[in-house]
Amino acid sequence: MASREEYDMTYLFNPRSRRGVHAFRLAAVMTTAVALIAAPAYAQQQAPMLDALVEDGTLPPVEERLPDNPLVVEPVDNVGEYGGTWRSALRGTGDNAWIARTVMYDGLVRYNRAWDEVIPNLAESWEVNDDATQYTFHLREGLKWSDGTPFTSADIAFAVELVQDPDYPVGGTFMTDPGNPMTVEVVDETTFTFTFENPKGLLLDELASVNGSTLVSLQKAYCSQFYPPYNPEAEQMAADEGYEGWAFMMEDKCAWGQETQRWANLDLPFMNAWVVTEPWTGTASRVVFERNPYYWKVDTEGNQLPYIDRLEMRVSESTEEITLMALNGEIDFTDRHIATVANRPIFFDGQEAGDYRLGTEVQSRSTSLVLQLNLNHPDPEMNALFNNRDFRIGLSHALNRQEIIDAVFTSQGEPFQPAPRPESQFYDEEMAKQYTEYDPELAVQHLEAAGLTETNGQGIRLMSNGEPVSIAVDVISALQPEWLDILELMQLQLAEVGIDMEINNIDRTLFYDKRPSLDFDAQVWAGDGGLDVVQEPRYYFPANAESVWAFAWQAWYNGTDPEIAEEPAEWAREQMELYDQLKASGDPAEQERLMVEILDIAKEQFPLVGVSLVPNGYYIAKNNLRNVPDEMKQAWLFPTPAPYDPFQWYFE
């Protein structure tokens, strides 16, 4: 999901696992330094493809390219072998999420493979004060960008300065939160401090998310040439190159907000394992990345990572073409776009011929589909009906979920509402299972309790104004074909109790454009927040712009879209106040207690209708690709497969 976050890097929310929530929160409030064990003494080795460049003086020796304390990575199974090309594919020219999930995940800190701890990365240690308002980070000594120049605290300060510039319209990060202003202080070349006006108890989690790497992707030496405070000629430079202003030029050259453009600029330095060598342009048929000779991680024997030399990503508009590539053994690893429920039998049967294997991915989502009725509907009759809890309960009891599970998911899964998954420490069986019993008679009782006692000649229930209840449900079937299959069955099931449902299959742009106008009856998406409960609460209260079911309420909460912002119902306001307390707390136990209160209110109010627990997914990997775990957790905020360290994958 793909979910919206895979395409839009606006939110810096992050996941937690069931067993690891305490580890995350303790990491977030610890007051002593966290550091990896010092690297053992060894002779450092490099990939053979770099030997000639060192011999002719193009590159310095490997020991001069690595930091003083490189990050030592323990391989999943074995110390690997150098060489090879990892082949995968992109769907169209906007599929930046796959690059974020394979190449770009390298921030100050990161998640470990178990998804139960925030661990050092570019920052080898940090300290946090008692009330979580001040974070001091220590970078590794001797880090270098992919062009060989030093990576220092000045680069971090530059990124903060740029993003906080009111003339550079990129927001939605912890650096631009008007409710909790922050500053950065450079202490020395490897030490800097973030200071917040209010407690920021979840900062380490935010930095460890998929979005944390953007903070370390703006090299001051390169990007400052496009910024007027450092180059008085920047505006003229922008005009000479045909840009409307320096900010547009900055976006094109350094691409903080437009991640696709980032991979079209061969001059932009990076801190990642691979750097782009064939750019991602609107006409490119492929994007190519090659190893970063200055990458700052080594294996347990001192071999500089990554093992794999190159990444080649075929750009295709056709999922059918990508599927055929995988079946023919032309993709070395992917789980994106083609690893669907419908394709599973095909890929299972094709393993021997394609010389690949299928691995397991445990999904972070809770329910396969969330029906989001628009509680802020502009029509008073529809608004009153959708806000009636009995109406929502009636819809839920009218759904034959087992029929849907059998038909769409080959009997995989179980009835499930939008709620924390069983693997989550927040799992509440009552919340997950309430109103999931298929009982048309009980459904009718609740619908009549909601005032729908009369029907027309077609058997459709009538609202108080005499109009039939007809709900148009927006869906993007191109994104996830199963959603359309689910809705078609729901349509038949709801008709049995007198509710007309129209399926409105639209493109992604229109899907999102309708939200600010509130011009929709309902939209559907998958159940994000099943494992990352605290960090992705969109279905538990009106938390962000993905809380489509109460878009005007979330606008009120977040201070966005003032023309449509609407004061929420009392129960939703209470949840918002609780979440504000949670974000401001540095106490792990208090954060947990507050989240439970939010979930209890969500359970009581039942604002959304779900279908079934998302079954395990799968990935496709060539048989000779090693150090890939047999099982992974699949999420966006924990951007699989990046946390499983693809730089230590190798071809045997």
Side-chain angles (χ1 to χ4, degrees), residues 157-168:
F158 174 78
V160 174
E161 178 185 3
L162 174 63
V163 173
Q164 290 184 341
D165 190 316
D167 294 327
Y168 189 59

Side-chain angles (χ1 to χ4, degrees), residues 298-347:
V298 298
D299 67 17
T300 49
E301 294 185 0
N303 301 301
Q304 185 188 31
L305 297 168
Y307 292 134
I308 295 175
D309 289 335
R310 290 163 51 92
L311 277 60
E312 291 185 4
M313 301 180 182
R314 171 76 173 271
V315 180
S316 174
E317 294 292 342
S318 167
T319 55
E320 291 78 11
E321 180 184 22
I322 301 173
T323 299
L324 186 60
M325 289 170 60
L327 288 169
N328 289 339
E330 298 170 9
I331 285 182
D332 296 297
F333 180 94
T334 194
D335 64 355
R336 187 159 175 79
H337 300 309
I338 61 174
T340 63
V341 173
N343 281 349
R344 186 191 291 266
I346 302 172
F347 284 126

Side-chain angles (χ1 to χ4, degrees), residues 150-387:
F151 175 87
T152 71
S153 300
D155 294 302
I156 301 295
F158 174 78
V160 174
E161 178 185 3
L162 174 63
V163 173
Q164 290 184 341
D165 190 316
D167 294 327
Y168 189 59
V170 177
T173 81
F174 70 91
M175 293 173 280
T176 57
D177 181 359
N180 195 3
M182 63 84 71
T183 58
V184 58
E185 176 191 0
V186 172
V187 179
D188 56 41
E189 284 197 350
T190 59
T191 308
F192 60 92
T193 298
F194 291 152
T195 301
F196 294 87
E197 187 174 295
N198 304 307
K200 190 70 174 177
L202 302 180
L203 179 66
L204 288 179
D205 295 315
E206 296 180 3
L207 291 174
S209 82
V210 65
N211 302 300
S213 55
T214 49
L215 176 65
V216 300
S217 298
L218 293 169
Q219 188 199 59
K220 180 179 179 179
Y222 178 77
C223 296
S224 62
Q225 66 181 303
F226 312 116
Y227 192 30
Y230 295 87
N231 178 11
E233 304 300 320
E235 281 289 5
Q236 186 59 50
M237 181 191 301
D240 292 344
E241 295 193 28
Y243 295 102
E244 294 182 25
W246 71 266
F248 292 95
M249 178 172 61
M250 179 70 76
E251 277 295 271
D252 201 30
K253 303 293 187 181
C254 293
W256 175 280
Q258 300 298 323
E259 296 301 322
T260 301
Q261 293 170 231
R262 177 183 298 272
W263 311 115
N265 185 358
L266 301 183
D267 297 325
L268 183 62
F270 289 97
M271 296 300 293
N272 309 109
W274 298 277
V275 296
V276 64
T277 56
E278 288 189 26
W280 194 3
T281 65
T283 58
S285 61
R286 71 174 186 174
V287 185
V288 176
F289 300 83
E290 293 186 359
R291 68 171 58 254
N292 174 4
Y294 292 91
Y295 196 53
W296 37 279
K297 297 180 184 179
V298 298
D299 67 17
T300 49
E301 294 185 0
N303 301 301
Q304 185 188 31
L305 297 168
Y307 292 134
I308 295 175
D309 289 335
R310 290 163 51 92
L311 277 60
E312 291 185 4
M313 301 180 182
R314 171 76 173 271
V315 180
S316 174
E317 294 292 342
S318 167
T319 55
E320 291 78 11
E321 180 184 22
I322 301 173
T323 299
L324 186 60
M325 289 170 60
L327 288 169
N328 289 339
E330 298 170 9
I331 285 182
D332 296 297
F333 180 94
T334 194
D335 64 355
R336 187 159 175 79
H337 300 309
I338 61 174
T340 63
V341 173
N343 281 349
R344 186 191 291 266
I346 302 172
F347 284 126
F348 183 84
D349 292 342
Q351 290 178 88
E352 183 176 354
D355 191 27
Y356 61 80
R357 66 188 185 275
L358 302 184
T360 299
E361 291 189 338
V362 178
Q363 303 294 306
S364 65
R365 295 171 178 173
S366 59
T367 186
S368 55
L369 180 143
V370 181
L371 177 63
Q372 302 183 73
L373 299 173
N374 182 3
L375 302 191
N376 304 139
H377 202 292
D379 178 81
E381 287 284 337
M382 298 289 276
N383 188 299
L385 186 63
F386 291 170
N387 277 277

Side-chain angles (χ1 to χ4, degrees), residues 31 59 77 123 151 205 209 219 270 279 382 389 520 537 612 624:
T31 56
L59 284 177
D77 294 315
F151 175 87
D205 295 315
S209 82
Q219 188 199 59
F270 289 97
M382 298 289 276
R389 181 170 172 269
F520 62 95
S612 64
N624 66 336

Side-chain angles (χ1 to χ4, degrees), residues 238-561:
D240 292 344
E241 295 193 28
Y243 295 102
E244 294 182 25
W246 71 266
F248 292 95
M249 178 172 61
M250 179 70 76
E251 277 295 271
D252 201 30
K253 303 293 187 181
C254 293
W256 175 280
Q258 300 298 323
E259 296 301 322
T260 301
Q261 293 170 231
R262 177 183 298 272
W263 311 115
N265 185 358
L266 301 183
D267 297 325
L268 183 62
F270 289 97
M271 296 300 293
N272 309 109
W274 298 277
V275 296
V276 64
T277 56
E278 288 189 26
W280 194 3
T281 65
T283 58
S285 61
R286 71 174 186 174
V287 185
V288 176
F289 300 83
E290 293 186 359
R291 68 171 58 254
N292 174 4
Y294 292 91
Y295 196 53
W296 37 279
K297 297 180 184 179
V298 298
D299 67 17
T300 49
E301 294 185 0
N303 301 301
Q304 185 188 31
L305 297 168
Y307 292 134
I308 295 175
D309 289 335
R310 290 163 51 92
L311 277 60
E312 291 185 4
M313 301 180 182
R314 171 76 173 271
V315 180
S316 174
E317 294 292 342
S318 167
T319 55
E320 291 78 11
E321 180 184 22
I322 301 173
T323 299
L324 186 60
M325 289 170 60
L327 288 169
N328 289 339
E330 298 170 9
I331 285 182
D332 296 297
F333 180 94
T334 194
D335 64 355
R336 187 159 175 79
H337 300 309
I338 61 174
T340 63
V341 173
N343 281 349
R344 186 191 291 266
I346 302 172
F347 284 126
F348 183 84
D349 292 342
Q351 290 178 88
E352 183 176 354
D355 191 27
Y356 61 80
R357 66 188 185 275
L358 302 184
T360 299
E361 291 189 338
V362 178
Q363 303 294 306
S364 65
R365 295 171 178 173
S366 59
T367 186
S368 55
L369 180 143
V370 181
L371 177 63
Q372 302 183 73
L373 299 173
N374 182 3
L375 302 191
N376 304 139
H377 202 292
D379 178 81
E381 287 284 337
M382 298 289 276
N383 188 299
L385 186 63
F386 291 170
N387 277 277
N388 190 304
R389 181 170 172 269
D390 273 308
F391 178 71
R392 301 191 296 270
I393 294 173
L395 295 184
S396 188
H397 278 304
L399 299 182
N400 186 339
R401 291 173 171 81
Q402 193 58 51
E403 180 182 44
I404 294 172
I405 292 167
D406 292 342
V408 180
F409 298 106
T410 61
S411 301
Q412 299 178 71
E414 59 188 72
F416 212 85
Q417 300 287 13
R421 287 181 62 95
E423 299 89 348
S424 169
Q425 74 162 78
F426 292 104
Y427 177 62
D428 178 343
E429 184 174 4
E430 182 181 10
M431 181 181 187
K433 298 294 187 176
Q434 65 181 349
Y435 316 124
T436 58
E437 179 187 4
Y438 174 52
D439 190 336
E441 292 184 3
L442 185 56
V444 169
Q445 291 178 27
H446 281 284
L447 294 175
E448 290 184 345
L452 302 177
T453 58
E454 303 294 330
T455 60
N456 63 13
Q458 288 75 46
I460 304 301
R461 296 186 177 275
L462 302 177
M463 295 184 290
S464 60
N465 62 0
E467 293 294 320
V469 178
S470 182
I471 305 171
V473 180
D474 296 340
V475 60
I476 312 172
S477 68
L479 192 60
Q480 194 157 328
E482 291 89 353
W483 290 343
L484 188 58
D485 298 332
I486 294 171
L487 287 176
E488 288 175 347
L489 288 170
M490 289 174 60
Q491 185 181 47
L492 297 173
Q493 294 166 3
L494 291 177
E496 292 295 318
V497 296
I499 302 298
D500 177 56
M501 189 180 85
E502 298 178 5
I503 301 173
N504 190 21
N505 192 2
I506 57 179
D507 66 31
R508 191 184 186 96
T509 300
L510 180 58
F511 189 83
Y512 284 105
D513 286 348
K514 294 174 73 172
R515 294 179 176 184
S517 68
L518 304 179
D519 183 25
F520 62 95
D521 294 342
Q523 291 192 341
V524 298
W525 205 263
D528 295 74
L531 289 179
D532 40 345
V533 176
V534 173
Q535 309 302 337
E536 182 46 280
R538 63 170 73 173
Y539 297 134
Y540 306 131
F541 80 98
N544 55 54
E546 294 303 314
S547 302
V548 184
W549 54 280
F551 197 84
W553 292 354
Q554 71 79 29
W556 180 89
Y557 175 58
N558 292 302
T560 58
D561 298 301

